[in-house]
PDB file of all heavy atoms in Angstrom:
ATOM      1  N   ILE A1163     -26.103  61.133  -0.296  1.00  0.00           N
ATOM      2  CA  ILE A1163     -26.460  60.717  -1.659  1.00  0.00           C
ATOM      3  C   ILE A1163     -26.197  61.851  -2.639  1.00  0.00           C
ATOM      4  O   ILE A1163     -25.641  61.638  -3.717  1.00  0.00           O
ATOM      5  CB  ILE A1163     -27.928  60.256  -1.718  1.00  0.00           C
ATOM      6  CG1 ILE A1163     -28.072  58.929  -0.977  1.00  0.00           C
ATOM      7  CG2 ILE A1163     -28.407  60.126  -3.154  1.00  0.00           C
ATOM      8  CD1 ILE A1163     -29.505  58.482  -0.782  1.00  0.00           C
ATOM      9  N   ALA A1164     -26.594  63.066  -2.269  1.00  0.00           N
ATOM     10  CA  ALA A1164     -26.362  64.214  -3.149  1.00  0.00           C
ATOM     11  C   ALA A1164     -24.874  64.433  -3.385  1.00  0.00           C
ATOM     12  O   ALA A1164     -24.450  64.789  -4.487  1.00  0.00           O
ATOM     13  CB  ALA A1164     -26.997  65.469  -2.555  1.00  0.00           C
ATOM     14  N   ALA A1165     -24.053  64.180  -2.365  1.00  0.00           N
ATOM     15  CA  ALA A1165     -22.609  64.347  -2.510  1.00  0.00           C
ATOM     16  C   ALA A1165     -22.012  63.274  -3.417  1.00  0.00           C
ATOM     17  O   ALA A1165     -21.005  63.507  -4.077  1.00  0.00           O
ATOM     18  CB  ALA A1165     -21.938  64.312  -1.139  1.00  0.00           C
ATOM     19  N   LEU A1166     -22.626  62.103  -3.446  1.00  0.00           N
ATOM     20  CA  LEU A1166     -22.112  61.004  -4.265  1.00  0.00           C
ATOM     21  C   LEU A1166     -22.601  61.040  -5.709  1.00  0.00           C
ATOM     22  O   LEU A1166     -22.075  60.313  -6.551  1.00  0.00           O
ATOM     23  CB  LEU A1166     -22.480  59.663  -3.637  1.00  0.00           C
ATOM     24  CG  LEU A1166     -21.804  59.352  -2.302  1.00  0.00           C
ATOM     25  CD1 LEU A1166     -22.375  58.082  -1.700  1.00  0.00           C
ATOM     26  CD2 LEU A1166     -20.300  59.228  -2.480  1.00  0.00           C
ATOM     27  N   MET A1167     -23.569  61.871  -6.010  1.00  0.00           N
ATOM     28  CA  MET A1167     -24.113  61.942  -7.366  1.00  0.00           C
ATOM     29  C   MET A1167     -23.059  62.321  -8.401  1.00  0.00           C
ATOM     30  O   MET A1167     -23.004  61.694  -9.464  1.00  0.00           O
ATOM     31  CB  MET A1167     -25.293  62.913  -7.431  1.00  0.00           C
ATOM     32  CG  MET A1167     -26.487  62.440  -6.639  1.00  0.00           C
ATOM     33  SD  MET A1167     -27.123  60.900  -7.250  1.00  0.00           S
ATOM     34  CE  MET A1167     -28.575  61.473  -8.056  1.00  0.00           C
ATOM     35  N   PRO A1168     -22.199  63.326  -8.164  1.00  0.00           N
ATOM     36  CA  PRO A1168     -21.169  63.636  -9.172  1.00  0.00           C
ATOM     37  C   PRO A1168     -20.235  62.453  -9.416  1.00  0.00           C
ATOM     38  O   PRO A1168     -19.846  62.191 -10.555  1.00  0.00           O
ATOM     39  CB  PRO A1168     -20.407  64.822  -8.566  1.00  0.00           C
ATOM     40  CG  PRO A1168     -21.344  65.442  -7.598  1.00  0.00           C
ATOM     41  CD  PRO A1168     -22.190  64.311  -7.084  1.00  0.00           C
ATOM     42  N   GLN A1169     -19.893  61.728  -8.355  1.00  0.00           N
ATOM     43  CA  GLN A1169     -19.037  60.559  -8.507  1.00  0.00           C
ATOM     44  C   GLN A1169     -19.735  59.495  -9.356  1.00  0.00           C
ATOM     45  O   GLN A1169     -19.122  58.878 -10.219  1.00  0.00           O
ATOM     46  CB  GLN A1169     -18.674  59.989  -7.141  1.00  0.00           C
ATOM     47  CG  GLN A1169     -17.712  58.819  -7.197  1.00  0.00           C
ATOM     48  CD  GLN A1169     -17.387  58.275  -5.815  1.00  0.00           C
ATOM     49  OE1 GLN A1169     -17.902  58.742  -4.810  1.00  0.00           O
ATOM     50  NE2 GLN A1169     -16.536  57.275  -5.775  1.00  0.00           N
ATOM     51  N   ARG A1170     -21.030  59.293  -9.114  1.00  0.00           N
ATOM     52  CA  ARG A1170     -21.798  58.336  -9.911  1.00  0.00           C
ATOM     53  C   ARG A1170     -21.825  58.756 -11.372  1.00  0.00           C
ATOM     54  O   ARG A1170     -21.624  57.940 -12.274  1.00  0.00           O
ATOM     55  CB  ARG A1170     -23.222  58.229  -9.382  1.00  0.00           C
ATOM     56  CG  ARG A1170     -24.046  57.178 -10.138  1.00  0.00           C
ATOM     57  CD  ARG A1170     -25.510  57.402 -10.027  1.00  0.00           C
ATOM     58  NE  ARG A1170     -25.842  58.644 -10.706  1.00  0.00           N
ATOM     59  CZ  ARG A1170     -27.051  59.150 -10.741  1.00  0.00           C
ATOM     60  NH1 ARG A1170     -28.033  58.581 -10.117  1.00  0.00           N
ATOM     61  NH2 ARG A1170     -27.294  60.279 -11.386  1.00  0.00           N
ATOM     62  N   ASP A1171     -22.045  60.059 -11.622  1.00  0.00           N
ATOM     63  CA  ASP A1171     -22.068  60.552 -12.993  1.00  0.00           C
ATOM     64  C   ASP A1171     -20.712  60.364 -13.672  1.00  0.00           C
ATOM     65  O   ASP A1171     -20.642  60.005 -14.849  1.00  0.00           O
ATOM     66  CB  ASP A1171     -22.489  62.018 -13.022  1.00  0.00           C
ATOM     67  CG  ASP A1171     -23.927  62.221 -12.552  1.00  0.00           C
ATOM     68  OD1 ASP A1171     -24.708  61.241 -12.583  1.00  0.00           O
ATOM     69  OD2 ASP A1171     -24.261  63.354 -12.153  1.00  0.00           O
ATOM     70  N   GLU A1172     -19.637  60.609 -12.912  1.00  0.00           N
ATOM     71  CA  GLU A1172     -18.282  60.416 -13.459  1.00  0.00           C
ATOM     72  C   GLU A1172     -18.051  58.945 -13.801  1.00  0.00           C
ATOM     73  O   GLU A1172     -17.501  58.623 -14.861  1.00  0.00           O
ATOM     74  CB  GLU A1172     -17.237  60.882 -12.454  1.00  0.00           C
ATOM     75  CG  GLU A1172     -15.810  60.692 -12.919  1.00  0.00           C
ATOM     76  CD  GLU A1172     -14.795  61.035 -11.839  1.00  0.00           C
ATOM     77  OE1 GLU A1172     -15.118  61.832 -10.941  1.00  0.00           O
ATOM     78  OE2 GLU A1172     -13.679  60.492 -11.908  1.00  0.00           O
ATOM     79  N   LEU A1173     -18.481  58.056 -12.912  1.00  0.00           N
ATOM     80  CA  LEU A1173     -18.327  56.622 -13.175  1.00  0.00           C
ATOM     81  C   LEU A1173     -19.149  56.189 -14.385  1.00  0.00           C
ATOM     82  O   LEU A1173     -18.697  55.370 -15.193  1.00  0.00           O
ATOM     83  CB  LEU A1173     -18.708  55.811 -11.936  1.00  0.00           C
ATOM     84  CG  LEU A1173     -17.733  55.915 -10.763  1.00  0.00           C
ATOM     85  CD1 LEU A1173     -18.303  55.222  -9.531  1.00  0.00           C
ATOM     86  CD2 LEU A1173     -16.376  55.346 -11.116  1.00  0.00           C
ATOM     87  N   ASN A1174     -20.355  56.731 -14.522  1.00  0.00           N
ATOM     88  CA  ASN A1174     -21.173  56.422 -15.694  1.00  0.00           C
ATOM     89  C   ASN A1174     -20.493  56.886 -16.969  1.00  0.00           C
ATOM     90  O   ASN A1174     -20.513  56.183 -17.985  1.00  0.00           O
ATOM     91  CB  ASN A1174     -22.558  57.052 -15.582  1.00  0.00           C
ATOM     92  CG  ASN A1174     -23.484  56.262 -14.666  1.00  0.00           C
ATOM     93  OD1 ASN A1174     -23.278  55.079 -14.454  1.00  0.00           O
ATOM     94  ND2 ASN A1174     -24.490  56.917 -14.132  1.00  0.00           N
ATOM     95  N   ALA A1175     -19.886  58.083 -16.925  1.00  0.00           N
ATOM     96  CA  ALA A1175     -19.169  58.591 -18.098  1.00  0.00           C
ATOM     97  C   ALA A1175     -17.981  57.689 -18.428  1.00  0.00           C
ATOM     98  O   ALA A1175     -17.719  57.397 -19.603  1.00  0.00           O
ATOM     99  CB  ALA A1175     -18.705  60.023 -17.851  1.00  0.00           C
ATOM    100  N   ARG A1176     -17.263  57.232 -17.388  1.00  0.00           N
ATOM    101  CA  ARG A1176     -16.130  56.327 -17.624  1.00  0.00           C
ATOM    102  C   ARG A1176     -16.602  55.000 -18.202  1.00  0.00           C
ATOM    103  O   ARG A1176     -15.955  54.434 -19.083  1.00  0.00           O
ATOM    104  CB  ARG A1176     -15.368  56.099 -16.322  1.00  0.00           C
ATOM    105  CG  ARG A1176     -14.548  57.317 -15.897  1.00  0.00           C
ATOM    106  CD  ARG A1176     -13.840  57.124 -14.588  1.00  0.00           C
ATOM    107  NE  ARG A1176     -12.918  55.997 -14.626  1.00  0.00           N
ATOM    108  CZ  ARG A1176     -12.354  55.495 -13.543  1.00  0.00           C
ATOM    109  NH1 ARG A1176     -12.610  56.002 -12.354  1.00  0.00           N
ATOM    110  NH2 ARG A1176     -11.521  54.481 -13.638  1.00  0.00           N
ATOM    111  N   ILE A1177     -17.733  54.510 -17.713  1.00  0.00           N
ATOM    112  CA  ILE A1177     -18.285  53.257 -18.238  1.00  0.00           C
ATOM    113  C   ILE A1177     -18.636  53.420 -19.711  1.00  0.00           C
ATOM    114  O   ILE A1177     -18.342  52.548 -20.533  1.00  0.00           O
ATOM    115  CB  ILE A1177     -19.521  52.810 -17.418  1.00  0.00           C
ATOM    116  CG1 ILE A1177     -19.082  52.284 -16.062  1.00  0.00           C
ATOM    117  CG2 ILE A1177     -20.325  51.743 -18.168  1.00  0.00           C
ATOM    118  CD1 ILE A1177     -20.221  52.016 -15.102  1.00  0.00           C
ATOM    119  N   GLU A1178     -19.251  54.547 -20.065  1.00  0.00           N
ATOM    120  CA  GLU A1178     -19.588  54.793 -21.464  1.00  0.00           C
ATOM    121  C   GLU A1178     -18.331  54.870 -22.320  1.00  0.00           C
ATOM    122  O   GLU A1178     -18.287  54.320 -23.424  1.00  0.00           O
ATOM    123  CB  GLU A1178     -20.408  56.075 -21.595  1.00  0.00           C
ATOM    124  CG  GLU A1178     -21.822  55.948 -21.078  1.00  0.00           C
ATOM    125  CD  GLU A1178     -22.590  57.262 -21.146  1.00  0.00           C
ATOM    126  OE1 GLU A1178     -22.106  58.208 -21.801  1.00  0.00           O
ATOM    127  OE2 GLU A1178     -23.668  57.325 -20.555  1.00  0.00           O
ATOM    128  N   ALA A1179     -17.291  55.554 -21.819  1.00  0.00           N
ATOM    129  CA  ALA A1179     -16.036  55.661 -22.569  1.00  0.00           C
ATOM    130  C   ALA A1179     -15.405  54.285 -22.746  1.00  0.00           C
ATOM    131  O   ALA A1179     -14.932  53.947 -23.842  1.00  0.00           O
ATOM    132  CB  ALA A1179     -15.076  56.601 -21.852  1.00  0.00           C
ATOM    133  N   LEU A1180     -15.404  53.484 -21.688  1.00  0.00           N
ATOM    134  CA  LEU A1180     -14.834  52.145 -21.781  1.00  0.00           C
ATOM    135  C   LEU A1180     -15.664  51.255 -22.708  1.00  0.00           C
ATOM    136  O   LEU A1180     -15.113  50.422 -23.442  1.00  0.00           O
ATOM    137  CB  LEU A1180     -14.717  51.514 -20.393  1.00  0.00           C
ATOM    138  CG  LEU A1180     -13.656  52.149 -19.484  1.00  0.00           C
ATOM    139  CD1 LEU A1180     -13.748  51.579 -18.081  1.00  0.00           C
ATOM    140  CD2 LEU A1180     -12.265  51.959 -20.054  1.00  0.00           C
ATOM    141  N   THR A1181     -16.963  51.434 -22.693  1.00  0.00           N
ATOM    142  CA  THR A1181     -17.824  50.676 -23.604  1.00  0.00           C
ATOM    143  C   THR A1181     -17.498  51.031 -25.049  1.00  0.00           C
ATOM    144  O   THR A1181     -17.432  50.149 -25.913  1.00  0.00           O
ATOM    145  CB  THR A1181     -19.307  50.949 -23.294  1.00  0.00           C
ATOM    146  OG1 THR A1181     -19.575  50.585 -21.940  1.00  0.00           O
ATOM    147  CG2 THR A1181     -20.223  50.173 -24.213  1.00  0.00           C
ATOM    148  N   ASP A1182     -17.284  52.320 -25.304  1.00  0.00           N
ATOM    149  CA  ASP A1182     -16.892  52.744 -26.652  1.00  0.00           C
ATOM    150  C   ASP A1182     -15.544  52.135 -27.041  1.00  0.00           C
ATOM    151  O   ASP A1182     -15.358  51.703 -28.188  1.00  0.00           O
ATOM    152  CB  ASP A1182     -16.823  54.275 -26.738  1.00  0.00           C
ATOM    153  CG  ASP A1182     -18.189  54.933 -26.614  1.00  0.00           C
ATOM    154  OD1 ASP A1182     -19.205  54.218 -26.785  1.00  0.00           O
ATOM    155  OD2 ASP A1182     -18.241  56.145 -26.344  1.00  0.00           O
ATOM    156  N   GLN A1183     -14.616  52.104 -26.110  1.00  0.00           N
ATOM    157  CA  GLN A1183     -13.309  51.499 -26.391  1.00  0.00           C
ATOM    158  C   GLN A1183     -13.449  50.007 -26.691  1.00  0.00           C
ATOM    159  O   GLN A1183     -12.820  49.491 -27.608  1.00  0.00           O
ATOM    160  CB  GLN A1183     -12.360  51.688 -25.207  1.00  0.00           C
ATOM    161  CG  GLN A1183     -11.776  53.064 -25.106  1.00  0.00           C
ATOM    162  CD  GLN A1183     -10.807  53.182 -23.934  1.00  0.00           C
ATOM    163  OE1 GLN A1183     -10.760  52.330 -23.057  1.00  0.00           O
ATOM    164  NE2 GLN A1183     -10.033  54.247 -23.924  1.00  0.00           N
ATOM    165  N   VAL A1184     -14.274  49.319 -25.906  1.00  0.00           N
ATOM    166  CA  VAL A1184     -14.492  47.885 -26.131  1.00  0.00           C
ATOM    167  C   VAL A1184     -15.103  47.667 -27.510  1.00  0.00           C
ATOM    168  O   VAL A1184     -14.708  46.753 -28.246  1.00  0.00           O
ATOM    169  CB  VAL A1184     -15.388  47.283 -25.019  1.00  0.00           C
ATOM    170  CG1 VAL A1184     -15.904  45.906 -25.403  1.00  0.00           C
ATOM    171  CG2 VAL A1184     -14.628  47.217 -23.716  1.00  0.00           C
ATOM    172  N   THR A1185     -16.054  48.516 -27.892  1.00  0.00           N
ATOM    173  CA  THR A1185     -16.678  48.397 -29.207  1.00  0.00           C
ATOM    174  C   THR A1185     -15.643  48.599 -30.310  1.00  0.00           C
ATOM    175  O   THR A1185     -15.596  47.826 -31.274  1.00  0.00           O
ATOM    176  CB  THR A1185     -17.821  49.422 -29.342  1.00  0.00           C
ATOM    177  OG1 THR A1185     -18.767  49.199 -28.289  1.00  0.00           O
ATOM    178  CG2 THR A1185     -18.514  49.300 -30.671  1.00  0.00           C
ATOM    179  N   ALA A1186     -14.812  49.625 -30.149  1.00  0.00           N
ATOM    180  CA  ALA A1186     -13.776  49.889 -31.154  1.00  0.00           C
ATOM    181  C   ALA A1186     -12.782  48.735 -31.225  1.00  0.00           C
ATOM    182  O   ALA A1186     -12.405  48.300 -32.328  1.00  0.00           O
ATOM    183  CB  ALA A1186     -13.058  51.197 -30.831  1.00  0.00           C
ATOM    184  N   LEU A1187     -12.364  48.238 -30.077  1.00  0.00           N
ATOM    185  CA  LEU A1187     -11.411  47.127 -30.063  1.00  0.00           C
ATOM    186  C   LEU A1187     -12.032  45.849 -30.628  1.00  0.00           C
ATOM    187  O   LEU A1187     -11.346  45.082 -31.314  1.00  0.00           O
ATOM    188  CB  LEU A1187     -10.894  46.888 -28.647  1.00  0.00           C
ATOM    189  CG  LEU A1187      -9.954  47.976 -28.102  1.00  0.00           C
ATOM    190  CD1 LEU A1187      -9.641  47.719 -26.642  1.00  0.00           C
ATOM    191  CD2 LEU A1187      -8.679  48.054 -28.917  1.00  0.00           C
ATOM    192  N   SER A1188     -13.300  45.632 -30.378  1.00  0.00           N
ATOM    193  CA  SER A1188     -13.975  44.457 -30.940  1.00  0.00           C
ATOM    194  C   SER A1188     -14.002  44.540 -32.458  1.00  0.00           C
ATOM    195  O   SER A1188     -13.762  43.542 -33.148  1.00  0.00           O
ATOM    196  CB  SER A1188     -15.404  44.351 -30.406  1.00  0.00           C
ATOM    197  OG  SER A1188     -15.404  44.108 -29.029  1.00  0.00           O
ATOM    198  N   GLY A1189     -14.278  45.731 -32.981  1.00  0.00           N
ATOM    199  CA  GLY A1189     -14.253  45.921 -34.434  1.00  0.00           C
ATOM    200  C   GLY A1189     -12.867  45.675 -34.997  1.00  0.00           C
ATOM    201  O   GLY A1189     -12.712  45.042 -36.050  1.00  0.00           O
ATOM    202  N   LEU A1190     -11.859  46.150 -34.289  1.00  0.00           N
ATOM    203  CA  LEU A1190     -10.476  45.944 -34.723  1.00  0.00           C
ATOM    204  C   LEU A1190     -10.105  44.463 -34.696  1.00  0.00           C
ATOM    205  O   LEU A1190      -9.463  43.955 -35.624  1.00  0.00           O
ATOM    206  CB  LEU A1190      -9.538  46.746 -33.826  1.00  0.00           C
ATOM    207  CG  LEU A1190      -8.097  46.893 -34.288  1.00  0.00           C
ATOM    208  CD1 LEU A1190      -8.025  47.564 -35.641  1.00  0.00           C
ATOM    209  CD2 LEU A1190      -7.309  47.704 -33.272  1.00  0.00           C
ATOM    210  N   VAL A1191     -10.538  43.756 -33.662  1.00  0.00           N
ATOM    211  CA  VAL A1191     -10.264  42.317 -33.567  1.00  0.00           C
ATOM    212  C   VAL A1191     -10.947  41.577 -34.721  1.00  0.00           C
ATOM    213  O   VAL A1191     -10.350  40.689 -35.343  1.00  0.00           O
ATOM    214  CB  VAL A1191     -10.720  41.756 -32.200  1.00  0.00           C
ATOM    215  CG1 VAL A1191     -10.782  40.243 -32.207  1.00  0.00           C
ATOM    216  CG2 VAL A1191      -9.797  42.241 -31.106  1.00  0.00           C
ATOM    217  N   ARG A1192     -12.196  41.945 -35.023  1.00  0.00           N
ATOM    218  CA  ARG A1192     -12.895  41.310 -36.146  1.00  0.00           C
ATOM    219  C   ARG A1192     -12.168  41.576 -37.460  1.00  0.00           C
ATOM    220  O   ARG A1192     -12.025  40.690 -38.307  1.00  0.00           O
ATOM    221  CB  ARG A1192     -14.335  41.800 -36.221  1.00  0.00           C
ATOM    222  CG  ARG A1192     -15.263  41.121 -35.229  1.00  0.00           C
ATOM    223  CD  ARG A1192     -16.722  41.412 -35.530  1.00  0.00           C
ATOM    224  NE  ARG A1192     -17.040  42.817 -35.383  1.00  0.00           N
ATOM    225  CZ  ARG A1192     -17.380  43.399 -34.237  1.00  0.00           C
ATOM    226  NH1 ARG A1192     -17.437  42.674 -33.133  1.00  0.00           N
ATOM    227  NH2 ARG A1192     -17.671  44.675 -34.191  1.00  0.00           N
ATOM    228  N   GLN A1193     -11.691  42.817 -37.642  1.00  0.00           N
ATOM    229  CA  GLN A1193     -10.956  43.169 -38.853  1.00  0.00           C
ATOM    230  C   GLN A1193      -9.663  42.346 -38.953  1.00  0.00           C
ATOM    231  O   GLN A1193      -9.350  41.791 -40.011  1.00  0.00           O
ATOM    232  CB  GLN A1193     -10.629  44.666 -38.854  1.00  0.00           C
ATOM    233  CG  GLN A1193      -9.868  45.124 -40.070  1.00  0.00           C
ATOM    234  CD  GLN A1193      -9.493  46.602 -39.976  1.00  0.00           C
ATOM    235  OE1 GLN A1193      -9.829  47.276 -39.006  1.00  0.00           O
ATOM    236  NE2 GLN A1193      -8.794  47.085 -40.978  1.00  0.00           N
TER     237      GLN A1193
END
Side-chain angles (χ1 to χ4, degrees):
I1163 290 171
L1166 293 173
M1167 294 298 254
Q1169 184 180 2
R1170 183 202 66 183
D1171 295 339
E1172 179 186 335
L1173 290 172
N1174 281 337
R1176 287 178 60 192
I1177 287 171
E1178 288 177 12
L1180 290 172
T1181 301
D1182 292 343
Q1183 283 182 346
V1184 166
T1185 302
L1187 290 173
S1188 295
L1190 192 59
V1191 165
R1192 280 192 296 274
Q1193 180 184 359

